[in-house]
CSV table of all heavy atoms in Angstrom, one decimal:
chain,number,residue,atom,x,y,z
A,105,ARG,N,-9.1,-6.5,-5.9
A,105,ARG,CA,-10.1,-5.6,-5.4
A,105,ARG,C,-10.1,-5.6,-3.8
A,105,ARG,O,-10.5,-4.6,-3.3
A,105,ARG,CB,-11.4,-5.8,-5.9
A,105,ARG,CG,-11.7,-5.5,-7.4
A,105,ARG,CD,-11.4,-4.1,-7.7
A,105,ARG,NE,-10.5,-4.0,-8.9
A,105,ARG,CZ,-10.1,-2.9,-9.5
A,105,ARG,NH1,-10.5,-1.7,-9.1
A,105,ARG,NH2,-9.5,-2.9,-10.8
A,106,GLN,N,-9.6,-6.7,-3.3
A,106,GLN,CA,-9.4,-6.6,-1.8
A,106,GLN,C,-8.3,-5.8,-1.4
A,106,GLN,O,-8.4,-4.9,-0.5
A,106,GLN,CB,-9.2,-8.1,-1.3
A,106,GLN,CG,-10.4,-9.0,-1.3
A,106,GLN,CD,-10.2,-10.5,-1.0
A,106,GLN,OE1,-9.0,-10.9,-1.3
A,106,GLN,NE2,-11.1,-11.2,-0.6
A,107,LEU,N,-7.3,-5.8,-2.3
A,107,LEU,CA,-6.2,-4.7,-2.2
A,107,LEU,C,-6.8,-3.4,-2.4
A,107,LEU,O,-6.4,-2.4,-1.7
A,107,LEU,CB,-5.1,-5.0,-3.1
A,107,LEU,CG,-4.0,-3.9,-3.3
A,107,LEU,CD1,-3.3,-3.7,-1.9
A,107,LEU,CD2,-3.1,-4.2,-4.3
A,108,GLY,N,-7.7,-3.3,-3.3
A,108,GLY,CA,-8.4,-2.0,-3.6
A,108,GLY,C,-9.1,-1.5,-2.3
A,108,GLY,O,-9.1,-0.3,-2.1
A,109,LEU,N,-9.8,-2.4,-1.6
A,109,LEU,CA,-10.4,-1.9,-0.4
A,109,LEU,C,-9.4,-1.5,0.6
A,109,LEU,O,-9.6,-0.4,1.2
A,109,LEU,CB,-11.1,-3.2,0.3
A,109,LEU,CG,-12.4,-3.6,-0.4
A,109,LEU,CD1,-13.0,-4.8,0.3
A,109,LEU,CD2,-13.5,-2.6,-0.6
A,110,ALA,N,-8.2,-2.1,0.7
A,110,ALA,CA,-7.2,-1.5,1.6
A,110,ALA,C,-6.6,-0.3,1.1
A,110,ALA,O,-6.2,0.7,1.8
A,110,ALA,CB,-5.9,-2.6,1.6
A,111,ILE,N,-6.5,0.0,-0.3
A,111,ILE,CA,-6.1,1.3,-0.8
A,111,ILE,C,-7.1,2.3,-0.4
A,111,ILE,O,-6.8,3.5,-0.2
A,111,ILE,CB,-5.8,1.2,-2.3
A,111,ILE,CG1,-4.8,0.2,-2.6
A,111,ILE,CG2,-5.7,2.5,-2.9
A,111,ILE,CD1,-4.5,-0.2,-4.0
A,112,LEU,N,-8.4,2.1,-0.6
A,112,LEU,CA,-9.4,3.0,-0.3
A,112,LEU,C,-9.5,3.3,1.3
A,112,LEU,O,-9.8,4.5,1.7
A,112,LEU,CB,-10.7,2.5,-0.8
A,112,LEU,CG,-10.8,2.5,-2.3
A,112,LEU,CD1,-12.2,1.8,-2.7
A,112,LEU,CD2,-10.6,3.7,-2.9
A,113,MET,N,-9.1,2.3,2.1
A,113,MET,CA,-8.9,2.5,3.5
A,113,MET,C,-7.8,3.5,3.7
A,113,MET,O,-7.8,4.6,4.5
A,113,MET,CB,-8.6,1.2,4.3
A,113,MET,CG,-8.3,1.6,5.7
A,113,MET,SD,-7.5,0.1,6.5
A,113,MET,CE,-5.9,0.0,5.7
A,114,HIS,N,-6.7,3.4,2.9
A,114,HIS,CA,-5.6,4.3,3.0
A,114,HIS,C,-6.0,5.6,2.6
A,114,HIS,O,-5.6,6.7,3.2
A,114,HIS,CB,-4.5,3.7,2.1
A,114,HIS,CG,-3.4,4.8,1.7
A,114,HIS,ND1,-3.5,5.5,0.6
A,114,HIS,CD2,-2.3,5.1,2.3
A,114,HIS,CE1,-2.4,6.4,0.5
A,114,HIS,NE2,-1.7,6.1,1.5
A,115,GLU,N,-6.8,5.8,1.6
A,115,GLU,CA,-7.4,7.1,1.2
A,115,GLU,C,-8.2,7.7,2.3
A,115,GLU,O,-8.1,8.9,2.5
A,115,GLU,CB,-8.3,6.9,-0.1
A,115,GLU,CG,-8.7,8.2,-0.8
A,115,GLU,CD,-7.5,9.0,-1.5
A,115,GLU,OE1,-6.5,8.4,-1.6
A,115,GLU,OE2,-7.8,10.2,-1.7
A,116,ALA,N,-9.0,6.9,3.0
A,116,ALA,CA,-9.7,7.5,4.1
A,116,ALA,C,-8.8,7.9,5.2
A,116,ALA,O,-9.1,8.8,6.0
A,116,ALA,CB,-10.7,6.4,4.6
A,117,ALA,N,-7.7,7.2,5.5
A,117,ALA,CA,-6.7,7.7,6.5
A,117,ALA,C,-6.2,9.1,6.2
A,117,ALA,O,-5.8,9.7,7.1
A,117,ALA,CB,-5.5,6.6,6.5
A,118,HIS,N,-6.3,9.5,4.9
A,118,HIS,CA,-5.8,10.9,4.6
A,118,HIS,C,-7.1,11.8,4.4
A,118,HIS,O,-7.0,12.9,4.0
A,118,HIS,CB,-5.1,10.9,3.3
A,118,HIS,CG,-3.7,10.2,3.5
A,118,HIS,ND1,-2.6,10.9,4.2
A,118,HIS,CD2,-3.2,9.1,3.1
A,118,HIS,CE1,-1.5,10.2,4.1
A,118,HIS,NE2,-2.0,8.9,3.5
Side-chain angles (χ1 to χ4, degrees):
R105 292 301 138 176
Q106 289 170 334
L107 173 61
L109 292 175
I111 291 167
L112 294 177
M113 173 194 69
H114 163 268
E115 188 70 12
H118 291 288

